[in-house]
Amino acid sequence: MSHQRRNAKRRPRAPVFAALGDETRLSLVAKLCGGQPYSISQLTQGSKLTRQAITKHLRVLECVGIVHSVRTGRESLFEFDRQPIEEIREYLDFVSQQWDQTLSRLKLFVED
Amino acid sequence: MSHQRRNAKRRPRAPVFAALGDETRLSLVAKLCGGQPYSISQLTQGSKLTRQAITKHLRVLECVGIVHSVRTGRESLFEFDRQPIEEIREYLDFVSQQWDQTLSRLKLFVED
DNA sequence: TCTTTAAGCAACCTCCGGGTTGCATATTAT
DNA sequence: ATAATATGCAACCCGGAGGTTGCTTAAAGA
């Protein structure tokens, strides 16, 4: 048995990292991971960018599943989704762990 | 006192995420975090890309501190550096934690 | 010494990411 | 009904990312 959930289509990780590789989008994530949903206009407030620019960034985040939008009346509310970030977090755990093992082996070798 | 190490200039996170936002570079990281240093030619082996392309990717990783190179003789060996990845890993921990608190509040609200 | 191998440098191409403006559409408020 | 607000859609611009080719330089091997 794999540790992977059944039927959980393995999302490629690079696009998720890429989606986070932009200051504007990082800010959006920071705001949204607080739990409260925000409309596009609200998210544009305080930014120097256009509403359309913000929209594009939100679509990028949405494409990799970091956020999703719900249309309510004339505004569409965006809210955070944990899963993709959780997945790359686990991947970084794995990388760090690999490196840890290397350090352990090195230490053993030196002490021995 | 901050939890930040003294004189540790706060590296912006977005560029580190961006550096990982590419399949080729993720592969390089995967290979290098195993602990063994590799030369450019070695890292090019098995890739469909040119040596120069791989070199460029390595420079990108080097710029954000994920790897560093040591020239030995006629070849330059690249090895993994843990710190930047560790930093963004902690940031993702923070994001997840924020979200956890939201869920907790929500649960309390529903149960109450 | 001569040849092979590893890498650096530079020019070039193509395509997409990030941003803008302009206009259309739908919903809410007056 | 009309005005104001929130968003969607499309065209467009520009710079840089990712990739290539061609040539040069430096080490190592024969």
Side-chain angles (χ1 to χ4, degrees), chain B residues 8-66:
Chain B
K9 210 187 321 176
R10 133 73 102 265
R11 205 192 314 261
R13 291 178 276 256
V16 181
F17 280 116
L20 296 177
D22 178 285
E23 295 290 353
T24 303
R25 290 196 290 268
L26 271 189
S27 312
L28 292 173
V29 168
K31 220 169 280 182
L32 289 170
C33 79
Q36 193 180 355
Y38 288 97
S39 74
I40 297 180
S41 298
Q42 290 171 335
L43 290 170
T44 304
Q45 298 286 353
S47 165
K48 289 168 184 172
L49 301 185
T50 318
R51 169 180 60 87
Q52 285 84 342
I54 298 293
T55 301
K56 282 193 182 180
H57 283 297
L58 287 170
R59 296 302 168 205
V60 171
L61 291 173
E62 192 174 30
C63 276
V64 299
I66 294 181

Side-chain angles (χ1 to χ4, degrees), chain A residues 22 24-25 48-50 52-53 56-57 73-74:
Chain A
D22 177 285
T24 303
R25 289 195 290 267
K48 289 168 185 169
L49 300 185
T50 317
Q52 286 84 341
K56 282 193 181 180
H57 284 297
R74 71 179 159 188

